[in-house]
Structure formats: C-alpha cells, structure tokens
C-alpha cells in the first residue's frame, strides 16, 4: 500500500554521527520530529537543535532556532575576520523568513545598526552589515519608519563621502531608496541631506550598479515631492545636462541596459511628462488677458501680412469680422476660439502645442494653415481642431497624468534625445496628420477616420522604440496610409477564416486535437521554468525566484536565485509543491498578495499579471504567489496550471493560438480545393439502386 501523501522519506545527518533515513510525517509538529531524531542519536535537550537543508540556500525549517543567537553573538567578536565571517553567514541565511524573524526577535537589527552607525570599518564589514540589514528589512517584519534619524544620517554620510568602498555606496543608496519610498518623514530628511549634485556625481561614475541605485534614489525623491518641488528638481537636473548624460552614457552604453535601470528611466519619463498634467486639466479662461494674447499671436503668425495691412484702415467691426474669419481658417469650430479650448483634456496643453509649432517651425506652420485655407471647404484640414484632438491622442499614447506602474520598463529612448520632447513630437505628428489627410483625400466628415489612422501610425512607430526624433520622423513618414491599409489587410487575413458551414464543421472536429497540442505546449513551458520577481507592497523588488514543473508533471519545484545567474537545475531547487496538494488557481484581484496592496489605479498592472496557487500545507491552506513578467507569460502559465489541474484553458492567448492553428490546418486541408466553390449545404444523397447485383460477395470462394 502506498504511504500517505504527507509522509516523505528524508535523510538527516549530523557531524560525527551516523546519518538517519527517516519517514517524516509532515503533519507532526516540528518539535516532535526533532525529539525523535535526537532520541535516535541519544541526544538530550532536543529544543536546542534545528533542522537545516543540506543543499540549496541552507535554510532552517524550525521556528525555534538557537543558531540565530550564536550567529549574533559572533557579531560582537573583536576579530575583524570573525565579524566578517558571521556577517557573510547572516547574509546567506537572512532570506529565510523563519530565520529572519528569529534574528529580529533577538535584537539583530539593533546590533547591525550599531555596526553601521559606528563605521569602524568602511570596507567589507560595513558592506556586509548594510546588505544583511537590507535583507532582514525586506521581509516587512519591521517598518522602515521605525529607523532612527541618527541612523539615517549616518547612511547618508556614506553616500556623500568622496572616497568610499565601491561595494558600500550602492547598498547605502538602496537603503535610502527604501526609506524614502516607505516613510514620508524620513524621506524629507533624505531629500534635505542628499544634494542632487551628489546623485549626479554617482550617475557619472562608470559603475552600472552604482548608477542604477543612484537613479533609483533619484526617482524615489522625485516621487515623494509635490508637483512644484518636482518641477524645480527636474528643471535643475536638466540644466545640469542629466538628460544628455542619460542619452549618451546610459541608453547608448556598451553594457546592456538592466531591467531595474529601464524601470527607473520609465519612472523618470513618466514623472517628467506628468508635469504637463496641470496644463492638460486646465481649460482656457476667456477673461485671461495673457491667454487672449496667445490666441492672437497664433492668428498673427499665420496671417501677419494680411492682418497688418488691414489693421489701420478698416473699422473696428470690420477688423473683428476679419479676426473671426481668420480663426475659422485656422480651424477653430466656434466664432470665439476660447470655447474650443475649454475642453479638458487637452485644455491649455493644446494651445501650448500650437504656439510651440508656430514659433519653432514657422514655415511648416504657415504652409499648413495657408495650404488648407486655400482648399475647397470640404477638403480643408482644420489645424486647430486637429491640434486639439492630436494633443489628446499623444497624452493617451504617452500616458500623461497616469500613475507610474511598479513594474513597467517601456520608456522611449527618443524622450531623452532632445529637450521639449512632447512638443517636438507634436510638431512631427501634426505634419504627419496633414500628410495623411491628403493621402486619404479626406473631407470634414472623414476627420475621425483620419485620426484613427494617425493613431495607428504613431502607436506602431512608438512601439519600435526609435532612438531619436529624426529616426521617429523617418519611420512614421514611411508608414503611409497605403502601408497602414496593407498591414491591416495582412493582419485581417491572418485572423479570417471562411464561414461556410462545412468549414465550421471541419474546424469543430479539429478543435480537440489542436487544444491537446496547445495543452502539451503549455506544460512544456512550465517544465522549462521561468524567473519571477518578488514584489512587495512598498516598492519594486529586484529579487528573483525560479519555478518549474518536474518532467513527470507531478511536482512544482522553486527557489530563490540571484540576478544574472543561469537558470538553476531541478536538483538545486530547495522547495517542492506536489501537484496533488494544489486546491485551486487564483487570478487577478482574488490573489492574496494583490488584495494586500489595495485597489489604487497604480496596481492595475499587478492585477493583470498576478496569479496564485492555493495548496494544502498540513491542515492549513497556503499560497504560492506569482507576478508574471508579461501578459503573454501570464497567459502561458495560467493556461499550463489550468491544464495541470484538469480545468479548461480560458486565456486570450489560448484563443489566439487556437484560432491561428485552426486557420493554418483548415487551409492545409483545403489546398486542393483552391478556387472550388464550397456549397452551403451538402449535396443530396442519391436514391438507392433498384438492385444490388453489382455487389460482389467476397465470402464465397470460387471453385
């Protein structure tokens, strides 16, 4: 008879003792298991012993752990090498939650704080102390807000020192980043103590780890500042040529850009574009003298000669009538152009874009307006209406005013290629709109259709991540209306299938086989395994863990890994979860690690990528929580886990894959029927013959 599910065989060894092979009943308390093991070796005081994994990360699997006390005692060693060895051991074990709780309960954080604050050794001892402190704090057992002001100031002093060990400053910067993101009060202290110039110095050091941590603290400080402070900080950073340095020395560096740096460049881009939100949310004020003068300047830039020549002669009523006509030629829908700009978004941001275009590209602006004002009424492209709608479109594509994602990395290198990137992008886009308008031979009734094409042109080109505005201009202008139609047709042909009933019947017969093929591919993907990032409620983590399915599809194996390491082998993964113990698969807002983060808009991306496995852990229900790197990986893993549990695969990716396979298989089956019409109904069955004399009976043997 097979043993119970919760009983496993394990080997237990101890120095100077014969190893034991025991049957471990996982339902028993750990104290009982320890006593049985100690009794076999005739050891007393079993409470003084602990079980530890012999390979992998050597984590402890007991709640009562005297090893923590011994290790903390060694931190008080007068020998530098003794303290270093103890700290190395502590860093190795600190990722274990149980061990970390034991260390913290024995005032381990206070002892590490003393080492950091004393700063007797500014080399390896300090670096290991900072790393161990960070590892313990990452578990969230103790709040960052409990740190003392002298401690934070001491860490700040390590960041501000000119001559400092290269391994210390990245750790100090990482600690201050966590403090800034987690504690507003201590964040203000960090902001006042760490000058922006000091962070710029760290960014200019050709040390990728130091650059990344300096950028992380910089974005944390920017996120903690209000809108006015953020604007002043960014203006100062741009004056110090931070944008140019990022573009030349980070984006175009020989070394590949890491995921964490890409995330912080995305944050910096989002925060900079976020400065446009107040203008986007503010409607034009008809009583503002400054804004009325800006509208007049926009008109005069297009019709200056005509306006000036008529300005002295005609009466006031005549001049007013001429102004109304000229604003109409500019493409405003109302006789009072202020009414067009009362819509939010885009509010005053649309006026800013139009003024920027008229001042920085005056020839293109005049050509746009005069060319369209001389066309027939039905075919003129309205500049003002187009600019207003185009500003809304750019704000949507660039997500102006949206909260920063905790995981996104999709920054645009072009953003760091020039100043005023949003306005410069508008200048390219408005000329593209005019070009597309002419290619489509559009009329006023086609305005929405033109905007849809322009949206597609801009979105497709931005997705290519051009590295400069000129490259963007070249690529987007090459994407003509005819090319957009060709791409649409190609995509439609890939998705289309004939709707004749015989073909639909054939597709239905093919579905089970193809779904089995998809299921097989999903399970193979699980067997290959994947790296996942650990994400806390405070900030984006840079820790990784690996999970994969065993080749026999019976066990999920997982464990922590270091960034940059090769994917681990199955034998090196310390944790195992039998598939038979899995209860259910949870996705989105139902996941426990997402529920704990709240329901803010900034967590929308986590809802879309989160999934959890609930399983039996003794008599309790436990969870294994995942955050997928991308939407595609989310679909592949949730499909694979659903297939593993015998549930249907209901993801969008499965639908797309099934549709693609059905289309391909159907076309292959119908190759010989090309240009042959397929009837809607099957042909009628002919009546049976009057006799069956033509039928030969093979059972009769001839003589």
């Amino acid at each position: 008879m097979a043993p119970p599910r919760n009983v496993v065989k394990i080997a237990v060894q101890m120095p100077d003792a014969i190893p034991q092979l025991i049957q471990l009943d996982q339902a028993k308390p750990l104290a009982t298991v320890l006593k049985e093991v100690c009794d076999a070796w005739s050891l007393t005081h079993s409470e003084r012993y602990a079980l530890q994994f012999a390979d992998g990360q050597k984590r402890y699997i007991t709640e009562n752990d005297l090893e923590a006390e011994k290790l903390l005692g060694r931190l008080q060693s007068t020998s530098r090498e003794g303290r270093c060895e103890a700290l190395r051991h502590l860093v190795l074990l600190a990722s274990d939650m149980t061990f970390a709780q034991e260390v913290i309960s024995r005032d381990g954080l206070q002892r590490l704080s003393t080492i950091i604050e004393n700063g007797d050794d500014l080399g390896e001892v300090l670096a290991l102390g900072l790393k161990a402190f960070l590892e313990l704090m990452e578990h969230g057992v103790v709040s960052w807000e409990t740190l003392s002001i002298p401690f934070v100031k001491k860490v700040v002093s390590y960041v501000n020192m000119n001559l400092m060990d290269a391994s210390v400053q990245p750790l100090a910067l990482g600690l201050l980043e966590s403090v800034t993101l987690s504690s507003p009060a201590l964040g203000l202290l960090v902001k006042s103590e760490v000058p922006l110039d000091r962070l710029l110095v760290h960014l200019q050091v050709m040390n990728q780890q130091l650059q990344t941590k300096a950028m992380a603290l910089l974005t944390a400080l920017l996120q903690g500042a209000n809108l006015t402070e953020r604007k002043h900080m960014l203006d100062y950073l741009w004056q110090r040529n931070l944008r140019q340095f990022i573009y030349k020395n980070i984006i175009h560096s020989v070394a590949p850009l890491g995921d964490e740096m890409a995330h912080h460049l995305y944050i910096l881009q989002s925060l900079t574009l976020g400065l446009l939100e107040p203008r986007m949310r503010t409607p034009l004020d008809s009583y503002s003298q400054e804004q009325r003068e800006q509208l007049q300047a926009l008109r005069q830039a297009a019709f200056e000669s005509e306006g000036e020549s008529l300005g002295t002669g005609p009466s006031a009523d005549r001049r007013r009538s001429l102004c109304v006509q000229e604003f109409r030629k500019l493409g405003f829908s109302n006789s009072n152009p202020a009414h067009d700009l009362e819509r939010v978004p885009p509010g005053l941001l649309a006026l800013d874009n139009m003024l920027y275009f008229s001042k920085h590209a005056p020839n293109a602006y005049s050509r746009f307006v005069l060319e369209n004002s001389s066309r027939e009424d039905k075919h003129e492209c309205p500049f003002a209406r187009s600019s207003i709608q185009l500003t809304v479109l750019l704000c949507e594509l660039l997500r102006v005013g949206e909260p920063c994602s905790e995981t996104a990395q999709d920054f645009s290198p072009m953003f760091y290629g020039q100043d005023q990137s949003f306005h410069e992008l508008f200048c390219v886009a408005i000329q593209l709109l005019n070009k597309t308008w002419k290619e489509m031979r559009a009329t006023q009734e086609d305005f929405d259709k033109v905007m849809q094409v322009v949206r597609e042109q801009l979105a497709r080109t931005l997705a290519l991540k051009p590295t400069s505005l000129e490259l963007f201009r070249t690529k987007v202008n090459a994407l003509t209306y005819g090319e957009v139609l060709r791409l649409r047709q190609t995509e439609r042909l890939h998705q289309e299938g004939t709707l004749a009933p015989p073909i639909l019947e054939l597709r239905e017969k093919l579905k089970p086989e193809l779904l089995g093929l998809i299921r097989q591919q999903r399970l193979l993907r699980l067997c290959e395994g994947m790296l996942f990032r650990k994400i806390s409620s405070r900030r984006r983590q840079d820790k990784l863990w690996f999970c994969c399915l065993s080749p026999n599809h019976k066990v999920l194996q997982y464990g922590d890994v270091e960034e940059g390491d090769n994917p681990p082998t199955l034998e090196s993964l310390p944790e195992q979860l039998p598939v038979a113990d899995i209860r259910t698969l949870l996705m989105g807002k139902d996941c426990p690690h997402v529920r704990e983060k709240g329901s803010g808009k900034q967590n929308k991306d986590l809802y879309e990528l989160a999934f959890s496995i609930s399983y039996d852990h003794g008599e309790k229900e436990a969870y294994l929580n995942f955050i997928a790197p991308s939407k595609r990986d989310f679909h592949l893993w949730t499909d694979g886990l659903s297939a593993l549990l015998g549930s249907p695969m209901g993801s969008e990716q499965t639908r797309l894959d099934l549709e693609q396979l059905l289309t391909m298989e159907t076309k292959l089956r119908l190759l010989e029927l090309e240009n042959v019409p397929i009837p809607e109904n099957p042909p009628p069955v002919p009546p049976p013959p009057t006799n069956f004399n033509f039928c030969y009976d093979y059972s009769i043997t001839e003589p």
Side-chain angles (χ1 to χ4, degrees):
M1 189 177 77
R5 254 186 343 188
N6 59 340
V7 176
V8 295
K9 288 186 177 182
I10 64 169
V12 184
Q13 62 184 11
M14 185 179 72
D16 303 322
I18 300 174
Q20 300 181 44
L21 181 64
I22 66 170
Q23 286 193 339
L24 175 65
D25 186 351
Q26 299 178 59
K28 286 184 179 180
L30 280 172
T32 304
V33 175
L34 279 171
K35 188 173 188 313
E36 292 174 358
V37 172
C38 290
D39 289 342
W41 278 321
S42 301
L43 298 174
T44 57
H45 303 293
S46 62
E47 68 275 9
R48 297 182 182 179
Y49 294 87
L51 291 176
Q52 181 188 30
F53 288 107
D55 49 9
Q57 294 190 354
K58 301 185 182 299
R59 294 186 304 165
Y60 287 92
I61 53 174
T62 177
E63 292 82 11
N64 187 16
D65 179 21
L66 293 179
E67 178 66 19
E69 186 62 42
K70 295 178 184 177
L71 195 56
L72 292 175
R74 288 160 57 195
L75 292 180
Q76 313 301 322
S77 172
T78 56
S79 165
R80 179 183 180 278
E81 186 56 39
R83 281 186 293 163
C84 282
E85 185 60 32
L87 285 168
R88 290 191 200 100
H89 198 191
L90 179 57
V91 169
L92 182 65
L93 300 176
S95 59
D96 182 14
M97 181 66 174
T98 302
F99 180 80
Q101 289 176 331
E102 291 293 330
V103 171
I104 293 171
S105 67
R106 289 170 167 79
D107 295 331
L109 285 174
Q110 286 77 359
R111 299 190 193 187
L112 289 172
S113 300
T114 303
I115 293 175
I116 295 170
E117 287 190 63
N118 289 341
D120 297 332
D121 186 328
L122 299 181
E124 187 179 8
V125 170
L126 179 58
L128 290 170
L130 287 167
K131 191 168 185 179
F133 190 89
L134 279 167
E135 289 283 352
L136 293 173
M137 291 296 293
E138 291 298 339
H139 293 288
V141 177
V142 178
S143 171
W144 290 91
E145 295 183 349
T146 60
L147 300 185
S148 66
I149 292 177
F151 174 80
V152 175
K153 286 187 175 182
K154 190 64 178 182
V155 177
V156 167
S157 70
Y158 297 141
V159 171
N160 291 336
M161 282 185 185
N162 290 322
L163 298 176
M164 175 58 67
D165 189 279
S167 61
V168 171
Q169 288 188 323
L171 294 167
L173 287 164
L175 193 151
L176 293 180
E177 179 206 3
S178 297
V179 168
T180 303
L181 290 171
S182 305
S183 172
L186 292 177
L188 291 174
L189 174 64
V190 175
K191 180 183 174 184
S192 63
E193 295 288 334
V194 181
L196 293 179
D197 286 329
R198 189 63 198 165
L199 294 179
L200 291 174
V201 170
H202 290 315
L203 283 169
Q204 292 170 6
V205 175
M206 291 297 109
N207 179 329
Q208 197 171 35
Q209 186 184 17
L210 185 59
Q211 284 181 339
T212 301
K213 294 303 181 182
M215 184 64 75
L217 179 55
L218 179 60
T219 55
L221 291 172
L222 288 169
Q223 286 177 283
N226 59 44
L227 198 62
T228 304
E229 292 174 337
R230 188 180 300 162
K231 185 177 186 310
H232 290 157
M233 292 169 69
L234 287 170
D235 287 344
Y236 180 76
L237 293 170
W238 292 161
Q239 290 171 9
R240 297 299 305 274
N241 299 322
L242 175 62
R243 178 189 62 76
Q244 292 89 330
F245 179 82
I246 291 174
Y247 187 71
K248 293 178 182 177
N249 298 89
I250 296 181
I251 295 177
H252 292 285
S253 172
V254 178
L257 196 68
D259 290 347
E260 191 175 358
M261 177 60 84
H263 173 70
H264 294 305
L265 291 179
Y266 154 78
I267 293 286
L268 184 59
Q269 173 184 306
S270 297
L271 294 176
T272 305
L273 290 173
L275 297 178
L276 301 171
E277 185 178 8
R279 299 289 289 179
M280 182 183 74
R281 304 288 183 193
T282 305
L284 187 138
D285 183 2
S286 303
Y287 298 99
S288 170
Q289 180 65 27
E290 178 187 0
Q291 293 172 15
R292 288 203 303 268
E293 290 175 356
Q294 289 175 336
L295 281 172
Q296 292 300 326
L298 191 65
R299 178 187 64 82
Q300 291 169 3
F303 307 105
E304 183 176 359
S305 58
E306 184 179 352
E308 291 295 326
S309 61
L310 296 174
T312 56
S315 63
D317 291 341
R318 174 62 178 162
R319 287 199 300 273
R320 191 177 301 109
S321 176
L322 285 173
C323 286
V324 171
Q325 292 178 17
E326 289 173 349
F327 277 123
R328 287 281 189 184
K329 289 181 180 180
L330 272 176
F332 286 97
S333 303
N334 296 283
S335 56
N336 182 356
H339 294 162
D340 290 57
L341 294 167
E342 289 177 350
R343 170 190 170 190
V344 290
L348 292 174
L349 187 57
L351 179 59
D352 294 340
N353 276 336
M354 289 188 280
L355 286 170
Y356 187 91
F357 182 49
S358 67
K359 291 178 181 177
H360 292 81
N363 294 333
Y365 171 67
S366 299
R367 185 166 58 251
F368 187 114
V369 175
L370 297 176
E371 179 183 292
N372 284 284
S373 62
S374 61
R375 290 181 189 170
E376 298 180 13
D377 289 343
K378 290 184 178 180
H379 291 279
E380 62 182 7
C381 178
F383 171 74
R385 183 185 177 190
S386 300
S387 298
I388 293 170
Q389 191 61 35
L390 187 60
T391 302
V392 175
L393 173 58
L394 289 175
C395 289
E396 291 174 356
L397 291 176
L398 298 175
R399 300 177 181 176
V400 175
E402 293 186 14
C404 296
S405 166
E406 292 185 11
T407 57
Q409 302 170 9
D410 55 340
F411 75 96
S412 174
M414 175 182 65
F415 171 82
Y416 296 97
Q418 67 285 311
D419 295 321
Q420 303 294 336
S421 58
F422 185 83
H423 298 313
E424 290 288 344
L425 185 60
F426 171 83
C427 293
V428 175
I430 193 66
Q431 295 176 77
L432 170 71
L433 189 149
N434 189 39
K435 173 175 169 288
T436 304
W437 185 280
K438 290 187 285 187
E439 290 172 352
M440 294 178 67
R441 298 180 181 178
T443 63
Q444 294 288 342
E445 289 77 12
D446 300 321
F447 182 83
D448 291 337
K449 293 180 182 178
V450 175
M451 291 306 303
Q452 290 175 5
V453 174
V454 171
R455 171 188 280 274
E456 191 169 344
Q457 290 171 316
L458 294 174
R460 287 180 183 272
T461 309
L462 286 171
L464 298 175
K465 296 190 179 299
T467 55
S468 67
L469 186 67
E470 285 307 313
L471 187 58
F472 175 83
R473 190 196 310 272
T474 301
K475 288 184 177 293
V476 80
N477 285 326
L479 194 61
T480 61
Y481 175 57
E483 181 67 12
V484 170
L485 289 180
R486 188 189 68 79
L487 290 171
R488 286 179 176 177
Q489 179 68 14
T490 302
E491 292 169 357
R492 187 161 54 247
L493 287 175
H494 282 304
Q495 297 174 357
E496 277 184 353
T498 177
L499 297 179
I503 305 303
L504 294 178
E505 185 178 346
L506 174 62
R507 287 166 63 94
E508 288 299 319
K509 289 183 178 180
L510 292 173
K511 271 186 181 180
E513 179 185 353
L514 296 179
L515 280 172
L517 188 63
I518 294 173
R519 179 182 183 277
Q520 184 180 358
Q521 186 269 340
R522 299 297 195 261
L523 292 176
L524 284 174
R525 189 60 179 261
L526 263 61
C527 291
E528 291 175 7
M530 179 168 289
L531 289 173
F532 296 89
R533 289 194 173 272
K534 291 186 176 181
I535 299 179
S536 72
S537 59
R538 293 181 295 98
R539 66 184 186 102
R540 179 177 180 271
Q541 305 266 345
D542 54 1
K543 287 189 173 182
L544 297 172
W545 65 290
F546 186 84
C547 183
C548 67
L549 178 66
S550 64
N552 62 6
H553 300 174
K554 292 186 177 181
V555 178
L556 281 174
Q557 297 183 260
Y558 59 96
D560 292 345
V561 296
E562 293 294 330
E563 188 165 13
D565 290 350
N566 293 326
T569 61
L570 284 175
E571 295 76 13
S572 64
L573 293 172
E575 302 288 351
Q576 291 190 350
L577 171 58
V579 173
D581 289 349
I582 298 177
R583 291 186 180 181
T584 185
L585 174 65
L586 304 174
M587 290 181 279
K589 295 182 180 180
D590 296 329
C591 299
H593 60 308
V594 173
R595 289 200 302 265
E596 294 169 2
K597 291 176 62 60
S599 58
K601 285 178 65 180
Q602 64 271 23
N603 297 317
K604 182 181 178 182
D605 58 311
L606 292 184
Y607 293 158
E608 296 175 351
L609 300 176
F611 61 99
S612 300
I613 296 172
S614 70
Y615 61 96
D616 294 325
H617 184 63
E619 297 181 355
K620 297 181 180 179
E621 183 180 18
Y623 298 91
L624 186 61
N625 300 317
F626 300 76
I627 296 290
S630 65
K631 195 66 177 176
R632 176 177 171 77
D633 292 325
F634 171 84
H635 290 321
L636 295 178
W637 270 75
T638 53
D639 282 344
L641 292 170
S642 297
L644 202 60
L645 299 176
S647 303
M649 300 178 293
S651 75
E652 179 68 10
Q653 190 63 44
T654 293
R655 188 189 68 78
L656 294 174
D657 290 347
L658 179 61
E659 184 62 30
Q660 185 176 11
L661 291 172
L662 281 172
T663 302
M664 291 171 58
E665 187 66 23
T666 304
K667 287 182 178 180
L668 288 172
R669 298 285 183 99
L670 300 177
L671 275 178
E672 295 181 359
L673 295 180
E674 189 174 1
N675 298 324
V676 176
I678 299 175
E680 291 287 331
N681 300 310
V685 178
T690 55
N691 63 72
F692 294 87
N693 293 336
F694 59 89
C695 181
Y696 184 82
D697 189 358
Y698 287 94
S699 63
I700 301 175
T701 59
E702 295 182 359

